Amino acid sequence: MVGLKPPEVPPTAAVKFISAGTAACIADLCTFPLDTAKVRLQIQGEVRIPRSTSAVEYRGVLGTLSTMVRTEGPRSLYSGLAAGLQRQMSFASIRIGLYDSVKQLYTPKGAESTGLAARVLAGCTTGAVAVACAQPTDVVKVRFQANGAMPESARRYSGTVDAYRTIAREEGVRGLWRGTLPNIARNAIVNCGELVTYDLIKDALLRTQLMTGKDGTRGMRLGAIPVPATLNPWVCPTDNIPCHFVAAFGAGFCATVVASPVDVVKTRYMNAGPGQYRNALSCLLALLMQDGLAGFYKGFVPSFLRLGSWNVVMFISYEQLQRVAVLARTPQS
């Protein structure tokens, strides 16, 4: 299966913006249970949670998911989904949908191709702007996912709207932006790990024509002369779903490896009660003292399963949604 063929006209920034948010929501719907399992494993053993014989212990990805279903019901796997979808519509639209446009701003005029530095700067820029806009939704999502790990009498929020209100009332408006700095750091790294890696792998696949098209060819030809994919990747037959799958899988793995330490600190700091940590650095030091370096990779397997599968679903959906939008806007002759 190669999906829709690339249109001759590239998508506009508005199409990319809307397609990115929609594709991220589709990916979240498919992978949200893995994200919840990741959060539970990351906060497990945190000092603030009392150790008792009745405390629920999570072991591995499947063990965490089955324990949650057994002790809290199947709905717990999607706890915080509303905030998660709100986050993706505002967050992914900016960091993914505007990436290509920002990348062009950093590319010197007259340059034949975009260099690595421009791609990295674009990833850092869109990631930081997205966090500044969507941080409250991320805080509520993490709090809600962690909420189910507590005894029912100790749960802090009854719903998504109640979570926004309670956090703003008890911690002030600044509480909704708790963990902004570690989240900016995380998303700058994740953006570079995801978007830049996806960009580079996809460009390499198109340039070398390693992924065959639907007809089994390795690229376009004019007579006996091969046409390089870099001339116009939008009309290259190798720009298909297998190509997007390989690039997205590689992007998910790279992003997980580099972002896991920051992600663990971000999750713990966002989930912390008032006064538990002075700042993100004190949270990092507390984690290091308690669990050592291994603590920074707590929940790595569900992180990779979630981020890898999320990237695959998101990028494939993103590419196809762009093509649907462009085809819908192009007059049929």
Side-chain angles (χ1 to χ4, degrees):
M1 179 180 180
V2 295
L4 295 172
K5 293 181 179 180
E8 295 184 2
V9 180
T12 63
V15 167
K16 292 180 180 180
F17 185 87
I18 296 172
S19 297
T22 305
C25 287
I26 294 172
D28 247 28
L29 286 169
C30 296
T31 64
F32 203 80
L34 292 172
D35 190 41
T36 303
K38 178 203 72 173
V39 169
R40 295 293 181 88
L41 286 168
Q42 286 178 338
I43 65 171
Q44 182 166 256
E46 199 170 6
V47 175
R48 69 183 298 274
I49 300 177
R51 295 277 189 176
S52 66
T53 55
S54 60
V56 176
E57 294 289 337
Y58 302 113
R59 297 183 182 277
V61 182
L62 295 178
T64 300
L65 294 174
S66 62
T67 299
M68 289 175 62
V69 171
R70 186 177 68 253
T71 59
E72 304 168 42
R75 292 182 62 182
S76 65
L77 299 178
Y78 283 89
S79 180
L81 177 63
L85 296 180
Q86 292 167 14
R87 173 181 180 269
Q88 293 300 350
M89 281 306 299
S90 55
F91 186 72
S93 297
I94 296 172
R95 79 175 184 91
I96 299 171
L98 299 184
Y99 170 76
D100 286 333
S101 299
V102 175
K103 183 175 67 175
Q104 294 305 314
L105 293 177
Y106 287 119
T107 302
K109 291 183 179 180
E112 294 183 0
S113 60
T114 303
L116 178 61
R119 298 175 200 251
V120 171
L121 285 172
C124 292
T125 300
T126 58
V129 173
V131 170
C133 296
Q135 182 69 4
T137 61
D138 205 10
V139 172
V140 170
K141 179 183 79 75
V142 169
R143 294 281 185 93
F144 227 81
Q145 287 174 316
N147 202 42
M150 302 178 182
E152 193 166 342
S153 59
R155 293 180 183 177
R156 294 179 280 181
Y157 316 113
S158 59
T160 305
V161 175
D162 179 60
Y164 283 110
R165 290 174 178 170
T166 303
I167 294 171
R169 184 178 64 251
E170 295 181 355
E171 304 173 38
V173 177
R174 291 180 60 184
L176 291 171
W177 269 267
R178 173 182 284 272
T180 299
L181 290 179
N183 210 13
I184 286 176
R186 173 192 180 270
N187 281 285
I189 295 171
V190 167
N191 248 24
C192 292
E194 282 182 356
L195 298 179
V196 176
T197 303
Y198 180 83
D199 214 6
L200 292 172
I201 294 176
K202 182 182 173 184
D203 280 356
L205 291 174
L206 294 178
R207 185 172 59 254
T208 58
Q209 301 177 16
L210 292 176
M211 309 298 293
T212 58
K214 185 177 181 180
D215 59 356
T217 62
R218 293 176 63 85
M220 295 183 296
R221 286 181 175 271
L222 293 177
I225 305 173
V227 179
T230 50
L231 289 181
N232 189 351
W234 284 96
V235 296
C236 177
T238 59
D239 187 3
N240 50 29
I241 287 180
C243 171
H244 305 155
F245 178 90
V246 172
F249 186 85
F253 180 77
C254 290
T256 308
V257 170
V258 299
S260 279
V262 184
D263 193 31
V264 174
V265 174
K266 181 213 76 167
T267 298
R268 288 203 171 195
Y269 189 62
M270 282 183 176
N271 186 54
Q276 183 179 347
Y277 302 116
R278 292 192 304 275
N279 48 44
L281 180 59
S282 67
C283 178
L284 183 150
L285 293 175
L287 176 62
L288 183 62
M289 294 293 292
Q290 182 183 346
D291 298 316
L293 292 175
F296 291 117
Y297 283 91
K298 276 195 169 187
F300 179 83
V301 173
S303 289
F304 171 62
L305 290 176
R306 188 261 173 182
L307 201 53
S309 57
W310 189 92
N311 271 269
V312 168
V313 175
M314 194 284 298
F315 277 115
I316 290 177
S317 300
Y318 179 45
E319 298 277 7
Q320 296 300 305
L321 286 170
Q322 289 181 83
R323 295 173 186 188
V324 168
V326 171
L327 289 173
R329 290 168 56 91
T330 303
Q332 301 297 319
S333 57

